[in-house]
């Protein structure tokens, strides 16, 4: 009873502090108050605010939209859902280039800087950078607070969630094969030993009766570049020179502690990732054949079938696994039980209890407002309304996506299943690649070159760096007559 009472007192204090800190962010314009910098509805007229949203159904926000409209008569929020991120981005860029498009749109956290000039920053009367840093996780501040043309810090997006890469694992396989623990290890060396214990080879087409983990290749693993990005972050790899004019991820970056030997951080990250796909390593557990019967589902189909013990994914993957299990039940195919699906934090290079250092990889789509919008202020007010604690709690309950706000993380972090994502958000980081699409292609090819034993990690990454240098040069001078993909 005393514990519950203390929890209520802490929650009350948290709410009071939140209101004091972010009243501008969560409050809406009062009825009849003029909207600075934006058109006001004429009596009887309705102004439409168009919102293009990725992934989440518009019904997820039905209650919030209705409440906002009731508080702001004369404004109508029209939401349109998109599911294909690549097609969405192409359509959005084309529309914005023609001076059209939506007022509000979703944008990947790694694309905000690239499209900064297309975005109208958050008005200072809603929230300023200092307040933003106090309210949202540091990865959001790093990604979304940028300098404008005058060198002033501005906020270019507000996130409703911060998702992170985690490990989904089969509890039954752990119980059967690793009696000493029921979850993945919290460091890579111990995890490799677990993979060895979990992996069972046979004479089937796949060559594995059970794979310890889906890792090592790019052609049949959905989140391969995200996993490698996590390892690059954990190795403290610098991708580019300070001025951004050249790539440096294949170069020596420091020395190995205690030995003085050169440390090639990017190479070590690639070596660790691809080791799970090379038969010369003890932790070999993945090949090109294991997804032969699950080409569309890739590693998720293998996991649902019970043929791999661990895969990587974000919070939304749980619902996809659930759907695939239900489909397998209806068709009479073998599958794991949903209650045997666990979610664990990603392992670290060194035992975090000893090092005190943790890194996770963040991926999310904040909401932002177009520079083309004639009603930018009211659009930002609506986004701020969606980012209020009450709205985000409802959003979390519907989607399982973890909060973007530090003042809400304590309650979500203790959840038995999805708490992992809330806990990781506090130490999550993101990469900011130059030309993300090309970056993904270059690194995917580097991964598979090593996994197929066509090159070493050193030579594959050196080639990737040359190709990335070419991309950077072509961006600065489009007249350079070179095809970067063909550099050898």
């Amino acid at each position: 009873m005393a514990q519950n009472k203390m929890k209520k007192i802490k929650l009350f204090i948290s709410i009071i502090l939140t209101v004091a800190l972010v009243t501008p962010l969560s409050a809406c314009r009062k009825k009849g108050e003029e909207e600075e910098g934006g058109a006001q509805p004429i009596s009887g007229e309705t102004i439409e605010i168009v919102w293009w949203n990725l992934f989440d159904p518009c019904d997820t926000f039905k209650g919030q939209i209705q409440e906002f409209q009731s508080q702001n008569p004369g404004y109508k929020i029209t939401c349109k859902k998109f599911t294909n991120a690549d097609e969405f981005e192409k359509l959005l860029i084309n529309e914005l280039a023609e001076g059209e498009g939506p007022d509000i749109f979703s944008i990947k956290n790694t694309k905000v800087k690239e499209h900064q000039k297309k975005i109208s920053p958050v008005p200072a009367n809603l929230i300023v950078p200092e307040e933003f840093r106090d309210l949202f996780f540091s990865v959001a501040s790093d990604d979304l607070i940028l300098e404008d043309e005058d060198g002033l810090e501005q906020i270019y997006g507000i996130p409703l969630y911060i998702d992170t890469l985690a490990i989904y694992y089969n509890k039954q396989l752990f119980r059967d094969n690793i009696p000493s623990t029921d979850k993945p290890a919290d460091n890579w060396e111990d995890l490799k030993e677990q993979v060895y214990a979990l992996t069972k080879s046979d004479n089937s087409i796949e060559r594995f009766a059970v794979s310890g983990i889906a890792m090592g290749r790019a052609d049949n693993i959905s989140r391969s570049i995200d996993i490698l990005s996590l390892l690059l972050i954990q190795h403290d790899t610098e991708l580019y020179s300070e001025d951004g004019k050249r790539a440096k991820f294949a170069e020596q970056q420091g020395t190995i502690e205690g030995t003085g030997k050169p440390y090639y951080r990017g190479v070590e990250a690639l070596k660790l990732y691809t080791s799970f796909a090379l038969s010369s390593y003890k932790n070999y557990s993945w090949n090109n054949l294991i997804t032969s019967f699950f080409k569309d589902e890739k590693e998720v189909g293998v996991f649902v079938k019970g043929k791999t013990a661990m895969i990587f994914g974000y919070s939304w993957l749980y619902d996809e696994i659930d759907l695939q299990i239900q489909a397998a039940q209806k068709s009479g195919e073998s599958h794991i039980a949903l209650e045997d699906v666990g979610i664990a934090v990603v392992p670290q290079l060194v035992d975090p209890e000893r090092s005190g250092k943790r890194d996770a990889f963040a991926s999310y789509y904040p909401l932002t407002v177009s520079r083309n919008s004639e009603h930018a202020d009211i659009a930002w007010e609506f986004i701020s309304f969606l980012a209020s604690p009450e709205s985000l709690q409802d959003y979390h309950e519907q989607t399982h996506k973890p909060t973007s706000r530090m003042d809400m993380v304590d309650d979500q972090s203790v959840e038995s299943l999805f708490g992992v994502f809330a806990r990781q958000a506090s130490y999550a980081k993101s990469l900011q690649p130059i030309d993300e699409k090309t970056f993904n292609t270059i690194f995917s090819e580097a991964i598979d070159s090593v996994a197929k034993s066509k090159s070493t990690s050193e030579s594959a990454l050196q080639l990737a760096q040359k190709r990335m240098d070419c991309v950077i040069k072509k961006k600065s001078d489009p007249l350079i007559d070179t095809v970067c993909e063909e550099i050898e």
Side-chain angles (χ1 to χ4, degrees):
M1 291 289 290
Q3 190 175 16
N4 290 337
K5 186 175 180 181
M6 285 300 296
K7 186 175 180 181
K8 289 179 179 178
I9 292 173
K10 286 174 66 180
L11 178 61
F12 176 75
I13 294 172
S14 174
I15 292 171
I16 293 298
L17 289 174
T18 299
V19 171
L21 177 65
V22 294
T23 299
L25 180 65
S26 57
C28 296
R29 178 178 43 78
K30 295 178 182 178
K31 185 175 180 180
E33 183 180 345
E34 288 194 4
E35 178 194 355
E36 184 180 347
Q40 289 301 299
I42 300 171
S43 180
E45 179 189 9
T46 298
I47 291 179
E48 183 180 35
I49 304 296
V50 178
W51 172 19
W52 285 8
N53 193 45
L54 261 174
F55 308 128
D56 293 317
C58 291
D59 280 350
T60 303
F61 306 96
K62 186 176 180 180
Q64 289 94 323
I65 290 173
Q66 290 177 345
E67 184 175 350
F68 183 83
Q69 289 176 161
S70 69
Q71 294 179 12
N72 295 269
Y75 290 97
K76 177 186 177 184
I77 307 295
T78 301
C79 174
K80 183 177 181 180
K81 175 192 172 184
F82 293 80
T83 57
N84 187 301
D86 290 336
E87 292 178 3
F88 172 81
E89 185 177 5
K90 288 178 184 177
L91 176 62
L92 179 65
I93 291 172
N94 288 338
E95 289 286 311
L96 295 180
E98 294 177 4
E100 299 179 357
D103 298 278
I104 299 170
F105 58 89
S106 303
I107 185 169
K108 194 174 182 183
N109 60 306
T110 52
K111 296 291 186 75
V112 175
K113 189 171 184 178
E114 180 182 345
H115 298 301
Q116 180 180 355
K117 292 183 178 179
K118 302 179 181 72
I119 297 171
S120 176
V122 180
N125 67 319
L126 281 181
I127 187 170
V128 295
E130 292 78 11
E131 293 172 329
F132 190 94
R133 290 187 175 97
D134 288 337
L135 181 61
F136 295 99
F137 288 110
S138 60
V139 65
S141 300
D142 293 341
D143 293 341
L144 307 178
I145 297 177
L146 305 171
E147 288 187 356
D148 63 14
E149 294 174 349
D150 298 321
L152 299 175
E153 284 192 335
Q154 302 273 16
I155 304 164
Y156 287 87
I158 294 178
L160 303 187
Y161 67 97
I162 301 291
D163 215 346
T164 55
L165 202 64
I167 290 185
Y168 284 76
Y169 66 100
N170 185 326
K171 296 178 184 178
Q172 184 63 54
L173 288 176
F174 271 80
R175 288 194 294 265
D176 291 346
N177 295 279
I178 310 179
S180 60
T181 184
D182 61 352
K183 63 180 180 180
D186 59 7
N187 68 84
W188 284 106
E189 286 305 312
D190 288 348
L191 187 102
K192 287 194 285 187
E193 292 298 323
Q194 289 183 336
V195 168
Y196 177 71
L198 289 161
T199 301
K200 311 297 178 187
S201 59
D202 62 11
N203 293 320
S204 66
I205 294 175
E206 302 100 311
R207 297 293 186 267
F208 291 113
V210 176
S211 154
I213 193 168
M215 192 169 168
R217 298 179 69 93
D219 54 1
N220 62 353
I221 296 176
S222 306
R223 308 264 76 84
S224 58
I225 298 302
D226 290 359
I227 305 169
L228 180 59
S229 295
L230 166 69
L231 296 178
L232 290 169
I233 288 170
Q234 291 183 341
H235 282 82
D236 294 322
T237 311
E238 294 179 34
L239 296 182
Y240 310 103
S241 60
E242 197 169 325
D243 59 11
K245 292 183 178 180
R246 65 180 186 87
K248 58 181 294 186
F249 46 75
E251 299 174 4
Q252 176 187 345
Q253 296 181 21
T255 58
I256 299 174
E257 188 177 352
T259 69
K261 293 181 179 179
Y263 192 12
Y264 294 86
R265 298 176 184 274
V267 173
E268 291 303 316
L270 182 59
K271 275 184 179 178
L272 176 54
Y273 180 77
T274 54
S275 67
F276 295 90
L278 295 171
S279 59
S280 56
Y281 286 84
K282 180 181 177 181
N283 53 293
Y284 171 57
S285 63
W286 196 256
N287 60 25
N288 63 316
L289 299 171
I290 196 166
T291 54
S292 298
F293 302 105
F294 312 99
K295 289 183 178 179
D296 292 335
E297 296 86 3
K298 295 186 177 180
E299 77 280 10
V300 181
V302 181
F303 181 76
V304 168
K305 193 77 171 177
K307 289 181 68 66
T308 189
M310 292 178 277
I311 62 175
F312 289 83
Y314 296 98
S315 60
W316 51 263
L317 182 61
Y318 184 82
D319 288 338
E320 183 179 329
I321 291 171
D322 186 10
L323 289 173
Q324 289 200 28
I325 290 174
Q326 291 180 42
Q329 287 174 334
K330 290 179 181 178
S331 61
E333 298 176 357
S334 61
H335 58 83
I336 61 174
L338 186 61
E339 55 267 27
D340 281 335
V341 176
I343 308 176
V345 296
V346 292
Q348 306 297 309
L349 288 182
V350 181
D351 185 345
E353 294 297 327
R354 182 158 53 90
S355 68
K357 181 179 184 293
R358 292 181 184 270
D359 290 308
F361 180 73
S363 180
Y364 58 101
Y365 285 78
L367 296 179
T368 193
V369 174
S370 168
R371 277 200 185 274
N372 296 340
S373 175
E374 296 179 359
H375 315 288
D377 283 10
I378 194 69
W380 275 121
E381 283 193 23
F382 174 65
I383 295 173
S384 300
F385 178 76
L386 292 180
S388 66
E390 298 79 8
S391 178
L392 288 189
Q393 184 56 34
D394 180 71
Y395 179 69
H396 172 69
E397 289 170 1
Q398 292 192 65
T399 67
H400 310 311
K401 290 180 181 177
T403 182
S404 56
R405 296 173 59 124
M406 290 188 286
D407 57 350
M408 296 181 67
V409 72
D410 286 347
D411 287 339
Q412 291 186 16
S413 65
V414 297
E415 293 178 7
S416 59
L417 191 60
F418 296 103
V420 166
F421 300 103
R423 293 195 296 273
Q424 288 191 147
S426 65
Y427 52 83
K429 298 179 176 68
S430 69
L431 289 183
Q432 292 289 336
I434 297 171
D435 194 331
E436 185 175 34
K437 185 177 180 180
T438 304
F439 177 91
N440 292 348
T441 299
I442 289 173
F443 272 87
S444 292
E445 292 176 3
I447 289 170
D448 283 337
S449 178
V450 178
K452 295 172 183 177
S453 299
K454 292 182 178 180
S455 60
T456 64
S457 296
E458 291 86 352
S459 60
L461 210 60
Q462 286 167 3
L463 175 58
Q465 180 169 301
K466 287 180 182 178
R467 294 173 64 185
M468 199 68 235
D469 275 340
C470 180
V471 171
I472 295 171
K473 288 177 182 176
K474 288 195 74 169
K475 276 188 168 293
S476 62
D477 184 0
L479 296 179
I480 293 177
D481 188 20
T482 305
V483 180
C484 300
E485 290 76 9
E486 295 178 359
I487 290 178
E488 296 294 342

